[in-house]
Amino acid sequence: MVDPAADEKNKVRAVTEDDIGLKVLYESRAPSTDIIAIHGIGAHPDDTWCKKVDTGSSTERYVNWLSDEHMLPAVVLDARIIRYGYQSQWFGDEAISQKVSTVAQRLLISLRRARQV
């Protein structure tokens, strides 16, 4: 028997227009390296990189390991950390129709535009 509460808890947040494209999560003072994180199919571009941490209280707290100063930025000191978001609901009732090559092409266009700025 499927538990509806568990199913709702595991539901992925919808990707909106604001979530699509490149988003700088962390930038060092003098970045010499770009790290670009791309979420998986059926995932949310921000939630993918978050982990629920124990706070010792009933309050939930999530840490984004791409942007939290104690995580990746602490290891790669001279980096600009960017995440790329795209419509990723490829299965189910709300599935969109696009090819992986289209997502890749849009990523490359976004990177080219960002480098020209």
Side-chain angles (χ1 to χ4, degrees):
M1 177 127 183
V2 177
D3 178 5
D7 190 42
E8 187 63 31
K9 184 179 177 182
N10 294 323
K11 193 171 186 176
V12 176
R13 187 165 51 118
V15 177
T16 67
E17 287 298 317
D18 291 337
D19 298 320
I20 295 174
L22 296 172
K23 178 179 176 184
V24 176
L25 301 176
Y26 174 84
E27 188 165 358
S28 68
R29 291 183 193 164
S32 63
T33 304
D34 284 344
I35 298 172
I36 301 166
I38 306 167
H39 63 93
I41 294 172
H44 189 277
D46 291 319
D47 300 348
T48 294
W49 315 109
C50 292
K51 172 74 174 155
K52 186 172 155 182
V53 294
D54 184 18
T55 61
S57 70
S58 61
T59 306
E60 288 186 343
R61 180 171 172 264
Y62 290 85
V63 172
N64 184 321
W65 65 269
L66 295 176
S67 60
D68 185 277
E69 66 183 16
H70 302 292
M71 304 297 266
L72 187 59
V75 177
V76 188
L77 302 176
D78 60 346
R80 175 177 29 234
I81 303 171
I82 304 165
R83 70 95 172 120
Y84 179 72
Y86 63 94
Q87 285 292 348
S88 63
Q89 187 63 36
W90 289 9
F91 305 101
D93 297 334
E94 298 174 22
I96 57 151
S97 178
Q98 71 179 341
K99 297 178 182 178
V100 173
S101 59
T102 302
V103 174
Q105 199 170 34
R106 288 180 181 156
L107 167 61
L108 293 174
I109 290 168
S110 295
L111 289 170
R112 191 175 305 121
R113 286 180 183 156
R115 297 231 185 252
Q116 292 173 353
V117 173

